Amino acid sequence: MTNKKPKNVFKQGAISSEFIGESIAKHQTKTSIGAHNIFLGQVRADVIDEKTVAAIEYTAYEDMANTKFDEIREAAFEKFELTCMHIYHSLGTVKAGEICLFVFVSSPRRKVVFKALEYIVEEIKAKAPVFGKEIFEDETHQWKVNS
Amino acid sequence: MLITIKYFGQLTEITHLEEEYLDFEGTQVSELLDTLYRKYNTLKTKDFQVAQNQELVDENTKLTGQEIALLPPFAGG
C-alpha cells in the first residue's frame, strides 16, 4: 500500500443521472478507450413482513472503506487491462429507486470490462465497511446485510 | 494505553455512541472485547468483525493501541 491518502469515493445522498452522464462525457477525450462498462446499484423497495423499504441510510467506516476501495482499484488495475476506473458510493439517505453505487470501468477492448466490473462490484460488496439501515414506509427499520 | 473504539451500524443501537476512548491495560483484542461485553450486555449476541487500525483482525491479535472498530455485516452497494 502506498502512503498517499486514498481518494474519497463517498458522495452525500443519491448519485444523480446527471453526474453519471457527465462522467461518461468526460471520457470522450480518452480515445484509446473502446469499451466502457457501468454498474449502477439501485435501492430496491423490498417488501418484508408486508412493510416496504422506502430508503436506505448509508454509513461507513470512511477511512477504512476508502483504503479498501483503493486496494480494490489497485488490484483491478493489476488484474485487468483497464484505461480507467471510477467508483462512487452514497452516504446518508438514498430513496428506493435512486442510485447508491456507481462503478465505471474503461478499456481498449470489451471483454476486459465485463470481467473487471463484476470483480470490482463483488469485492466492494465483500470488503468495504459500509452499513445500510433499511427504512420502511412506517419509519421502522432493519439493518441490511449483503448476501 | 488509550484506545479509540468506534462502533458502526446496528452496534450503535446498543452502545448509544459512535466512538469512545478507553484507557486499557490488556494486551489482546479478546480482553478488550470482554471488557466491552461487560459494559454492553447484548453486544455479545451481535455479529461483527474487529478492525485494528483499519485492518481486520481476529480475537487473538495483540493490541497495538490507537483505533479499534467494531464492524457489523457489510451492506455496501
Side-chain angles (χ1 to χ4, degrees), chain A residues 58 60-61 63-64 67 89 101 125-128 130-131 141 143-144 146, chain B residues 6 8-10 13 51 54-56 67 69 71-77:
Chain A
Y58 285 103
Y61 185 7
D63 289 343
M64 179 177 166
T67 302
H89 198 295
L101 173 63
K125 295 247 175 198
K127 293 186 179 167
V130 175
F131 313 100
H141 70 266
W143 291 90
K144 179 176 179 263
N146 279 345
Chain B
K6 289 173 176 280
F8 291 92
Q10 60 178 291
E13 295 180 346
Q54 301 182 25
E55 288 293 334
L56 293 178
E67 195 168 283
L71 307 172
F74 300 164

Side-chain angles (χ1 to χ4, degrees), chain A residues 27-40:
Chain A
H27 289 75
Q28 287 171 350
T29 54
K30 298 189 178 180
T31 49
S32 66
I33 294 171
H36 298 299
N37 199 5
I38 288 174
F39 178 84
L40 299 174

